[in-house]
């Protein structure tokens, strides 16, 4: 029986029939002329592929049509070459080229576990696999060997989801060994964020010294206080003290000892037996002691707070006026260069004064003097966010400057309403007392003042209302004496000086240039031209570290 599908013919068509002797003429059909009823594209969807794959898996279980046996750890797995080659480029290269394995019935594979091979084949024949904490490592290695990317990525994602303080370091090492950059980055970020908990587990004690260094050197290490880092390092050293003792200084270079609480530093750090017997660490201990006395006057990589501690180096603006000749303002605000945000601090007391001096002492701020003839001194306590009145100056002054040298504050020169002052006073915060020191060689107001290389430098200023000085006066606190050094190339007042890397930079005021002075060589160099003259403001800027 033959089934013919076609268009039904009408009577007129049937009346004119070809003679059997007449050869049929074949006409080309235009496929575009066919309507939608002439073609039906049918697809059974993914279910067809699944059913075929399921049948192959049943064949595998029943050993039907299998043409190769994979042997792993003595356990045999009957398989189909075609299925393995379709899923894995590793097997495709093995079976489709002229290798010995392409002809042999039994193929032995080393370097993997039988349980992992069983789970791998289940995935190949079903598209599904159960990943557990017990098999994930072996399954990952097997999928990597056989180049099954999807299964390899699934194992990596499973590991990422299992991160906790007790395993993140081991997973990190595993990720590095297999070049899993994303997983390694995730592990490192997790360990940095949970360092306090991670350091309490056994995996932490097995870190190599370079791995531990990488963690504790990071500014992103999340610790509430630096004591956590120190205790983690000492726990690691004591775990194998005989071999790790020589590495102590190498690690303490990355612990921010100056930021430890002074009591903790004295009792715990200096009292540690290993540290006491490690002369190579004494310099680091001395640096921490100096910081506890000098504060921000002393700078090193270990005095910069970690981001997680909640402290940030900020610029503080004290006072100012709303316009030239306008009202004085009480506001104290700080600017965080990292976040770009301004925050308000406690208002400045007795803000009606002007032309006072400001400086940062350790992590607090001192404001002294002011117009007219004020002896008042206020200290801003950064921890309490309040202003506290401290000991008054011995002589009232304004248009003076203050600078910190070796942990003490110096109020230099100024104006008392009648004449310029050469007197200099020194403030000791521990005794809360101002004392007179040797006067300057030349009385000036509005000079630039900076402490550098254990000396105090007073640069320029105004000896009177009409002239400016180019003199550089240097004070030595050990001998309580003043010397004149190389003159600055310009004679200006209302300029500002800062010290950095044992050099002094001078700018601002009515000059368009920045100059640099080297105290060791006693010479000046011109650094750069600024865009315009910097008109002096009544607001004062200082740098300090503040809890954000």
């Amino acid at each position: 029986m033959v089934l013919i599908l076609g268009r039904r013919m009408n009577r007129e068509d049937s009346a004119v029939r070809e003679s059997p002797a007449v050869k049929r003429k074949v006409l080309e059909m235009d496929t575009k002329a066919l309507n939608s009823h002439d073609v039906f594209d049918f697809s059974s969807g993914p279910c067809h592929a699944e059913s075929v794959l399921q049948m192959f898996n049943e064949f595998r279980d029943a050993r039907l049509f299998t043409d190769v046996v994979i042997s792993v750890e003595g356990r045999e797995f009957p398989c189909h070459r075609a299925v393995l080659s379709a899923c894995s480029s590793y097997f495709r290269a093995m079976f489709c080229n002229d290798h010995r394995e392409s002809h042999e019935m039994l193929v032995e594979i080393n370097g993997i576990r039988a349980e992992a091979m069983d789970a791998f084949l289940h995935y190949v024949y079903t598209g599904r696999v159960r990943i557990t904490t017990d098999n994930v490592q072996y399954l990952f290695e097997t999928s990597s060997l056989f180049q099954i990317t999807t299964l390899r990525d699934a194992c990596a994602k499973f590991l990422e989801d299992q991160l906790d303080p007790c395993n993140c370091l081991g997973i990190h090492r595993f990720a590095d060994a297999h070049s899993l950059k994303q997983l390694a980055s995730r592990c490192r970020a997790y360990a940095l964020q949970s360092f306090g908990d991670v350091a309490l587990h056994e995996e932490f004690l097995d870190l190599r010294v370079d791995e531990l260094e990488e963690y504790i050197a990071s500014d992103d290490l999340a610790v509430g206080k630096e004591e956590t880092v120190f205790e983690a390092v000492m726990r690691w050293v004591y775990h194998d003290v005989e071999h790790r003792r020589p590495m102590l200084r190498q690690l303490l270079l990355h612990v921010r000892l100056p930021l430890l609480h002074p009591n903790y530093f004295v009792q715990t750090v200096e009292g540690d037996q290993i540290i006491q017997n490690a002369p190579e660490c004494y310099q680091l201990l001395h640096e921490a002691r100096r910081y506890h006395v000098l504060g921000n006057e002393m700078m090193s990589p270990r005095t910069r707070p970690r981001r997680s501690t909640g402290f940030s180096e900020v610029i503080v603006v004290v006072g100012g006026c709303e316009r030239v000749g306008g009202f004085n303002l009480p506001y104290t605000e700080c600017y965080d260069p990292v976040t770009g945000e301004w925050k308000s601090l406690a208002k400045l007391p007795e803000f009606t004064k002007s032309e006072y001096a400001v400086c940062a002492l350790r992590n607090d701020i001192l404001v002294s003097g002011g117009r007219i003839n004020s002896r008042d001194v206020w200290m801003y306590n950064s921890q309490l966010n309040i202003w506290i009145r401290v000991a008054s100056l011995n002589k009232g002054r304004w248009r003076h400057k203050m600078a910190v040298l070796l942990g003490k504050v110096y109020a230099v020169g100024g104006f008392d309403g009648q004449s310029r002052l050469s007197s200099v006073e020194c403030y000791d915060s521990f005794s809360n007392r101002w004392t007179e020191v040797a006067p300057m060689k030349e009385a000036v107001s509005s000079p630039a003042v900076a402490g550098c290389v254990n000396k105090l430098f007073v640069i320029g200023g105004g000896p009177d209302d009409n002239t400016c000085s180019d003199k550089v006066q240097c004070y030595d606190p050990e001998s309580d004496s003043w010397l004149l050094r190389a003159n600055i190339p310009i004679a200006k007042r209302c300029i500002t000086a800062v010290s950095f890397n044992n050099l002094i930079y001078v700018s601002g005021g009515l000059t368009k240039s920045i100059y640099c002075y080297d105290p060791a060589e006693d010479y000046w160099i011109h650094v750069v031209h600024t865009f315009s003259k910097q008109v002096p403001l009544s607001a004062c800027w200082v740098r300090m570290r503040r809890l954000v």
Side-chain angles (χ1 to χ4, degrees):
M1 177 177 178
V2 179
L3 178 62
I4 301 177
L5 299 180
R7 189 177 56 185
R8 180 178 297 175
M9 301 177 63
N10 56 30
R11 292 182 179 181
E12 296 174 353
D13 293 334
S14 61
V16 183
R17 294 179 178 276
E18 286 186 337
S19 168
V22 179
K23 187 177 181 180
R24 292 177 181 268
K25 185 177 181 180
V26 178
L27 300 178
E28 294 183 1
M29 297 294 294
D30 184 1
T31 57
K32 295 181 179 180
L34 295 175
N35 57 42
S36 60
H37 298 287
D38 295 324
V39 178
F40 177 41
D41 291 328
F42 171 75
S43 173
S44 61
C47 62
H48 174 73
E50 290 182 4
S51 62
V52 172
L53 199 59
Q54 181 180 355
M55 187 57 65
F56 267 106
N57 194 39
E58 293 177 4
F59 289 161
R60 179 174 72 98
D61 292 337
R63 299 198 173 197
L64 291 176
F65 309 116
T66 56
D67 52 2
V68 67
V69 176
I70 306 296
S71 176
V72 178
E73 292 185 332
R75 182 176 170 184
E76 295 185 347
F77 299 90
C79 303
H80 304 87
R81 280 186 168 90
V83 175
L84 295 179
S85 299
C87 295
S88 166
S89 57
Y90 174 90
F91 285 109
R92 188 157 55 250
M94 177 185 290
F95 296 140
C96 296
N97 296 322
D98 192 20
H99 295 301
R100 175 173 54 85
E101 291 85 357
S102 63
H103 308 294
E104 293 184 349
M105 185 64 184
L106 181 66
V107 175
E108 184 175 358
I109 297 179
N110 299 315
I112 60 174
R113 299 186 61 169
E115 295 85 351
M117 188 65 190
D118 189 23
F120 168 78
L121 289 175
H122 184 75
Y123 172 76
V124 168
Y125 278 86
T126 66
R128 297 179 178 86
V129 68
R130 181 183 293 275
I131 303 175
T132 67
T133 54
D134 295 328
N135 71 7
V136 60
Q137 179 176 344
Y138 306 113
L139 192 56
F140 176 90
E141 294 171 347
T142 303
S143 59
S144 296
L145 174 64
F146 296 146
Q147 301 173 27
I148 308 293
T149 305
T150 52
L151 181 56
R152 181 176 181 268
D153 293 344
C155 292
K157 180 63 170 61
F158 177 84
L159 287 172
E160 185 175 329
D161 294 338
Q162 300 303 309
L163 290 178
D164 62 40
C166 71
N167 66 19
C168 64
L169 298 178
I171 295 177
H172 189 187
R173 185 172 292 176
F174 177 82
D176 281 339
H178 293 85
S179 300
L180 295 172
K181 294 183 179 179
Q182 181 176 342
L183 179 59
S185 176
R186 181 71 182 88
C187 291
R188 183 176 185 276
Y190 185 92
L192 288 172
Q193 191 63 33
S194 307
F195 183 81
D197 294 330
V198 171
L200 299 176
H201 291 85
E202 292 299 316
E203 279 190 351
F204 177 81
L205 301 176
D206 294 330
L207 284 174
R208 301 190 308 269
V209 64
D210 60 308
E211 292 174 327
L212 179 55
E213 272 190 286
E214 183 181 357
Y215 282 114
I216 63 177
S218 174
D219 282 338
D220 296 322
L221 192 70
V223 289
K225 54 184 180 178
E226 194 66 20
E227 285 82 351
T228 302
V229 185
F230 173 78
E231 290 170 2
V233 167
M234 297 309 296
R235 181 170 179 261
W236 185 88
V237 171
Y238 273 106
H239 181 68
D240 188 5
V241 66
E242 182 178 352
H243 295 95
R244 294 178 176 180
R245 185 197 303 266
M247 307 173 190
L248 180 59
R249 182 182 183 279
Q250 178 182 350
L251 293 171
L252 289 183
L253 281 172
H254 305 292
V255 180
R256 309 192 180 183
L257 296 177
L259 303 184
L260 299 176
H261 192 279
N263 291 340
Y264 181 91
F265 175 80
V266 172
Q267 297 174 7
T268 304
V269 179
E270 294 189 318
D272 184 88
Q273 184 176 359
I274 294 181
I275 294 179
Q276 288 179 352
N277 296 319
E280 67 275 12
C281 298
Y282 289 174
Q283 183 179 359
L284 296 174
L285 301 181
H286 181 62
E287 178 187 74
R289 294 189 205 102
R290 281 175 54 84
Y291 183 81
H292 293 155
V293 175
L294 305 180
N296 290 337
E297 186 183 354
M298 196 212 74
M299 298 179 63
S300 83
R302 286 165 292 279
T303 62
R304 186 178 64 252
R306 302 183 196 269
R307 298 187 183 97
S308 62
T309 59
F311 286 92
S312 177
E313 286 192 329
V314 296
I315 299 172
V316 180
V317 182
V318 181
C321 61
E322 58 180 352
R323 65 182 184 278
V324 177
F327 294 104
N328 296 316
L329 299 175
Y331 306 116
T332 305
E333 297 182 327
C334 69
Y335 174 75
D336 188 337
V338 176
T339 64
E341 296 179 349
W342 286 91
K343 293 185 178 179
S344 296
L345 307 179
K347 290 183 180 181
L348 178 66
E350 299 189 6
F351 57 88
T352 54
K353 292 185 174 62
S354 63
E355 300 181 273
Y356 41 76
V358 177
C359 71
L361 174 64
R362 287 182 284 276
N363 205 43
D364 297 328
I365 298 173
L366 259 69
V367 174
S368 69
R371 189 167 184 170
I372 298 174
N373 249 1
S374 176
R375 298 173 54 242
D376 296 339
V377 181
W378 291 85
M379 176 181 287
Y380 172 75
N381 186 304
S382 59
Q383 291 186 330
L384 303 177
N385 189 32
I386 59 174
W387 288 90
I388 304 170
R389 188 190 292 271
V390 295
S392 300
L393 293 167
N394 292 312
K395 184 174 183 58
R397 65 185 75 206
W398 73 92
R399 299 180 192 170
H400 60 298
K401 290 290 183 67
M402 285 198 303
V404 175
L405 178 65
L406 300 178
K408 295 184 178 181
V409 179
Y410 290 83
V412 178
F415 186 61
D416 64 0
Q418 295 181 349
S419 60
R420 268 65 187 178
L421 302 176
S422 63
S423 67
V424 179
E425 299 185 41
C426 177
Y427 177 70
D428 185 343
S429 61
F430 296 103
S431 63
N432 188 29
R433 179 180 170 188
W434 290 92
T435 56
E436 293 275 351
V437 298
M440 292 184 290
K441 289 184 173 295
E442 181 181 46
V444 289
S445 63
S446 304
V449 181
C452 188
V453 295
N454 298 334
K455 303 288 193 300
L456 188 70
F457 293 85
V458 180
I459 304 165
D464 53 55
D465 290 335
N466 301 316
T467 60
C468 297
S469 174
D470 62 354
K471 289 185 174 60
V472 175
Q473 305 181 69
C474 175
Y475 175 72
D476 184 349
E478 288 190 7
S479 61
D480 189 28
S481 61
W482 291 85
L483 293 174
L484 293 178
R485 307 300 296 270
N487 292 354
I488 187 172
I490 56 172
K492 297 292 181 181
R493 70 177 75 200
C494 299
I495 52 178
T496 299
V498 294
S499 61
F500 181 71
N501 289 340
N502 293 331
L503 298 173
I504 297 176
Y505 294 85
V506 174
S507 66
L510 301 177
T511 177
K512 293 183 178 180
S513 299
I514 296 178
Y515 293 89
C516 177
Y517 175 68
D518 185 344
E521 301 295 333
D522 191 28
Y523 76 92
W524 289 88
I525 59 172
H526 178 264
V527 178
V528 69
H529 283 288
T530 56
F531 291 107
S532 61
K533 295 180 180 180
Q534 305 299 309
V535 178
L537 302 175
S538 59
C540 297
W541 297 68
V542 294
R543 181 181 64 86
M544 63 176 292
R545 181 165 52 91
R546 180 179 179 272
L547 184 64
V548 294

